[in-house]
């Protein structure tokens, strides 16, 4: 469904086992979008958390109150510092979002695929890019309340930002932003993901044509 970040290590809690964090783009933003219009499909990120020693995937429920995700905007290459922020006009909407559980990791074979999986997700329902161009969205995972530095990788810096420790980052596919609108395209896997989190109570926006 989307690109996946390389995992990064962090302490799961002050007295818990070390944990491994990986971000995956579960729902890519549109390939072509209109400037100043809400992006649809909305960007959604899966957060995988596992025990760094055993590899066992964890629900991450005990960390939901200390993890948050931040959206930024890059140029087409995705390299270099983000364009927005610091440009406060270029990217608008809710840029900082909390995480929710994807499922309970249990259930029968008849249960939905995502309901039987561990992990959490974050949804950015109302992002807008306000100038034409070619861009990539980036999403960084941060943890608050744990002042110890993480073991950094080229993606996860392990540095403090806005009161939180940077754990990991992933970038979307290229978005071509133009003055005119474009047909909505969404794959079946992305559609299933959005339907699943909507059924779990997420405020998933409707396609613009149905509003």
């Amino acid at each position: 469904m989307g690109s996946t970040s390389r995992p990064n290590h962090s302490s799961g809690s002050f007295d818990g086992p070390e944990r491994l964090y990986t971000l995956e783009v579960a729902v890519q933003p549109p390939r072509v979008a209109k400037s100043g219009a809400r992006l649809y499909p909305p960007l959604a990120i899966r957060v995988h958390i596992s025990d760094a020693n055993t590899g066992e995937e964890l629900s991450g429920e005990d960390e939901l109150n200390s993890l948050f995700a931040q959206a930024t905007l890059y140029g087409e290459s995705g390299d270099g510092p983000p364009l927005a922020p610091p440009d406060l006009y270029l990217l608008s909407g809710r840029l900082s979002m909390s995480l929710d559980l994807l499922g309970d990791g249990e259930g029968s074979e008849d249960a939905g695929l995502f309901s039987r999986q561990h992990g959490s997700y974050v949804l950015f329902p109302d992002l807008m890019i306000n100038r034409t161009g070619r861009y990539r969205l980036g999403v960084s995972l941060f943890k608050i309340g744990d002042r110890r530095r993480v073991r950094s990788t080229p993606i996860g810096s392990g540095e403090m930002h806005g009161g939180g420790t940077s754990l990991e980052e992933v970038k979307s596919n290229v978005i071509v932003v133009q003055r005119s609108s474009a047909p909505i395209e969404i794959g079946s896997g992305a559609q299933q993901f959005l339907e699943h989190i909507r059924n779990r109570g997420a405020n998933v926006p409707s396609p613009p044509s149905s509003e």
Side-chain angles (χ1 to χ4, degrees):
M1 260 186 298
S3 58
T4 304
S5 66
R6 286 176 287 179
N8 190 34
H9 298 267
S10 171
S11 55
S13 62
F14 286 108
D15 54 3
E18 189 174 46
R19 294 182 174 183
L20 194 65
Y21 299 85
T22 307
L23 303 184
E24 173 190 358
V25 182
V27 180
Q28 290 281 356
R31 295 184 301 112
V32 182
K34 182 179 180 180
S35 62
R38 178 174 51 81
L39 297 177
Y40 191 92
L43 176 65
I45 305 295
R46 282 197 63 178
V47 181
H48 300 275
I49 304 174
S50 58
D51 187 305
N53 297 315
T54 67
E56 177 185 4
E57 188 154 12
L58 308 171
S59 71
E61 184 174 6
D62 59 332
E63 291 190 273
L64 282 185
N65 291 333
S66 60
L67 294 174
F68 70 95
Q70 177 80 22
T72 53
L73 191 68
Y74 291 87
E76 180 179 7
S77 69
D79 299 327
L83 303 175
D87 188 327
L88 300 181
Y89 173 77
L90 181 57
L91 180 66
S92 57
R94 286 170 284 180
L95 306 186
S96 182
M97 300 295 293
S98 57
L99 278 61
D100 289 297
L101 287 179
L102 182 66
D104 53 19
E106 300 177 354
S108 66
E109 291 300 318
D110 296 330
L113 171 65
F114 296 114
S115 296
R116 301 196 305 269
Q117 297 181 11
H118 282 308
S120 52
Y121 73 91
V122 59
L123 175 71
F124 293 89
D126 56 3
L127 297 180
M128 292 183 290
I129 303 173
N130 298 308
R131 294 194 192 101
T132 59
R134 301 173 67 92
Y135 306 96
R136 291 182 192 265
L137 285 166
V139 174
S140 297
L141 181 68
F142 293 94
K143 183 175 182 180
I144 58 176
D146 189 344
R147 293 292 174 175
R148 292 180 293 182
R149 293 176 62 86
V150 302
R151 290 195 307 216
S152 62
T153 67
I155 297 178
S157 68
E159 297 176 353
M160 298 301 294
H161 172 85
T165 302
S166 171
L167 298 177
E168 194 57 273
E169 183 181 30
V170 69
K171 296 183 177 73
S172 75
N173 292 340
V174 173
I175 309 166
V176 178
V177 180
Q178 58 187 26
R179 290 186 176 86
S180 58
S181 58
I184 294 173
E185 298 178 356
I186 182 169
S188 60
Q191 186 66 57
Q192 291 172 8
F193 186 90
L194 292 178
E195 289 176 358
H196 169 76
I197 63 174
R198 180 184 287 114
N199 291 336
R200 285 183 63 85
N203 186 19
V204 179
S206 301
S209 60
S210 64
E211 290 180 342

